[in-house]
Amino acid sequence: MNVRRRIATAAVLAATVVLGGCSGGGGTATSPPAGSAAPAQVAATDGLPGMPPVPDAHDVYADAGANMLSDAAKAAKPLVYVPHTKSGEVRVIDPATFAVVGTYPLGGELQHVVPSWDMRTLYATDDTTNKIVPFDPVTGEPGATIPVQDPYNMYFTPDGSSAISVAEAQKRLVFYDPHTWAQQGDLPTPDCAGIDHADFTPDGRTAVFTCEFDGRVAVVDIEHRAVLRMIDMPRRNRHMGPQDIKLAPDGSVFYIADSDQNGVWVLDGAATHVVREIPTGHGAHGLYLSRDASRLFVTNRHEGSVSVLDAYTGASITKWTVPGGGSPDMGNVSADGSQLWLSGRYDRAVYVLSTVDGSLIRKIDVGNGPHGLCVWPQPGRYSLGHTGITR
C-alpha cells in the first residue's frame, strides 16, 4: 500500500449464517434473515448473471488447482512481472532461471500487475499518471498506454462485464468496459479512506473492499453498484489498517489482513460483522492460498515472515522467516503450487519460497519499490484481478 495515500446478500455457501449488527456509517441495506440456510452448491441462476457457476460448494477455488490452466493461460510464456512504485518500471523474471529478462520503464508509480478476467492480458496499474499498461502474456512485452482514473488497484466483476479501478486517492470505484475501456460509471465511497483490496462472495453478487485509512470495509452490491454498508473493525486502525482480503474456500468467512493490528480479522461470509481476530505477525499485509486451497499464507511485511494458516478454520499451522529479514509484500503461488513468490517492498528484492517448508529458494535483486508482483500463468477459469485471484 502506498503510505503517502492510503461487497448484501448472505454467503450462499455458508452452512449457517449468524448475523450481528454492523457498525459504522454509510450502511443503507438491511441485514439478511438470521439463520438462513445455505444450499449445497451455487447454481448458475443463483450467482451474478453471466458468472460461471461454482462447481464445488466446499471450494470455490476448485478449478484453480495445480496446473489447471485454461487455453488462454496455456498460451502464455511463464514469467513473473514485478511493478515498482519508486523506479517506475516493470521488471520481468524468468521463473526457470530466476534471471531478469526484461526491464520496461513506464513512468509513474506502478502498483500492481493485474490479469484480465479472460486471462488474455496483464495490466500494470499506475495511479499517479492515471494509466494502465497492457502486457501480452504470450510475448511478455508491453503495449500502448490506456487512460484509466487513479488505478491504484484493479478488479474484474465475476461476470467479466466490467473492470473496476480502485481509485484510492479519489475514494471511489470506477467501472470500465474491459474491452474498449470506455467508462461505464462510478461509485463514490466517501467513508472508505484508502480503499484498497477486494474479494467477492461465492455468488459474485457482493464484494468487500478494505479501507486502509478508515479501519473498516465497504460492502458493495456489484450488480447495482451500490454501497450496502460499512463495517468497522473492532479496532479502527487508520495508519496502515485493513489491507488484503481473501474469501475462505467454502465461503464461510473473509480473512482481512491488518498491518497495524499485526494480524488478520475474520469477517463472516455474509459480510455483516467481524467474528474474531487471528494474530500473525508485525505488519500483516498480503494473503495467498496454496494451490489446493488448504492453507492461507499471510505476509508479515514488517517482521520479514510468512504465517501459514488453515484456510478453512484459520488455525495457525506454522510461521516461516525470510533468512536475513526482509519485507515480504505482494505476489502469488506458482502454477504448480511449489513456490510462493513475493516482492520485498522495502528491500529492492523478490523472494521465492518453497510452499513445502518455507525455505528460501532464491532472492532476486530488482528495482526500487517492488510491489504487486504477478506470477503468470495462473490456473483457473477466470481472473477477478489484483495479482491473480482466480476461480
Side-chain angles (χ1 to χ4, degrees), residues 280-369:
T280 59
H282 190 43
H285 183 66
L287 302 174
Y288 306 97
L289 288 162
S290 61
R291 195 51 65 202
D292 64 358
S294 66
R295 295 174 294 161
L296 180 68
F297 305 123
V298 184
T299 64
N300 301 308
R301 183 170 61 184
H302 296 156
E303 72 172 34
S305 72
V306 176
S307 294
V308 184
L309 309 180
D310 183 298
Y312 288 88
T313 69
S316 177
I317 298 173
T318 190
K319 182 185 283 190
W320 302 327
T321 300
V322 178
S327 51
D329 192 275
M330 310 233 75
N332 216 331
V333 174
S334 58
D336 67 359
S338 67
Q339 298 174 349
L340 175 61
W341 285 70
L342 298 168
S343 60
R345 183 69 178 275
Y346 308 129
D347 297 279
R348 297 176 178 246
V350 166
Y351 317 113
V352 188
L353 306 179
S354 165
T355 58
V356 175
D357 57 10
S359 60
L360 181 66
I361 297 172
R362 188 66 62 96
K363 180 179 178 181
I364 305 166
D365 294 331
V366 291
N368 193 3

Side-chain angles (χ1 to χ4, degrees), residues 13-242:
L13 299 185
T16 304
V17 176
V18 182
L19 299 175
C22 60
S23 60
T28 59
T30 57
S31 298
S36 55
Q41 63 181 8
V42 180
T45 53
D46 295 325
L48 183 71
M51 184 191 86
V54 177
D56 184 349
H58 185 66
D59 181 7
V60 298
Y61 309 104
D63 285 323
N67 296 317
M68 296 175 66
L69 300 177
S70 67
D71 289 342
K74 287 178 182 177
K77 182 185 295 187
L79 293 169
V80 177
Y81 299 80
V82 188
H84 293 71
T85 60
K86 301 300 184 183
S87 52
E89 62 190 356
V90 172
R91 295 200 186 187
V92 181
I93 300 171
D94 181 340
T97 65
F98 305 109
V100 175
V101 295
T103 299
Y104 302 98
L106 304 178
E109 198 166 282
L110 300 167
Q111 301 286 0
H112 302 87
V113 172
V114 180
S116 64
W117 185 89
D118 62 8
M119 299 186 170
R120 297 183 184 277
T121 310
L122 307 175
Y123 296 100
T125 68
D126 169 23
D127 53 345
T128 61
T129 63
N130 298 305
K131 72 173 186 289
I132 58 175
V133 179
F135 277 75
D136 182 347
V138 176
T139 66
E141 297 180 351
T145 294
I146 300 170
V148 168
Q149 285 296 307
D150 191 24
Y152 170 77
N153 211 337
M154 193 163 69
Y155 292 86
F156 292 85
T157 56
D159 61 356
S161 66
S162 299
I164 307 172
S165 172
V166 183
E168 180 194 78
Q170 300 176 7
K171 294 184 185 178
R172 64 179 179 137
L173 304 175
V174 189
F175 293 78
Y176 289 87
D177 183 303
H179 306 291
T180 67
W181 292 99
Q183 189 170 323
Q184 297 173 331
D186 68 354
L187 174 61
T189 57
D191 299 317
C192 186
I195 191 167
D196 195 344
H197 302 87
D199 207 352
F200 300 77
T201 52
D203 60 9
R205 294 180 176 274
T206 307
V208 181
F209 285 83
T210 60
C211 312
E212 180 172 1
F213 307 139
D214 250 337
R216 49 175 32 179
V217 296
V219 185
V220 174
D221 180 329
I222 289 298
E223 187 173 13
H224 301 101
R225 297 181 187 169
V227 176
L228 297 172
R229 54 189 169 268
M230 305 298 302
I231 303 173
D232 293 346
M233 299 300 99
R235 179 183 178 91
R236 289 185 65 181
N237 296 307
R238 292 180 169 93
H239 172 61
M240 297 181 72

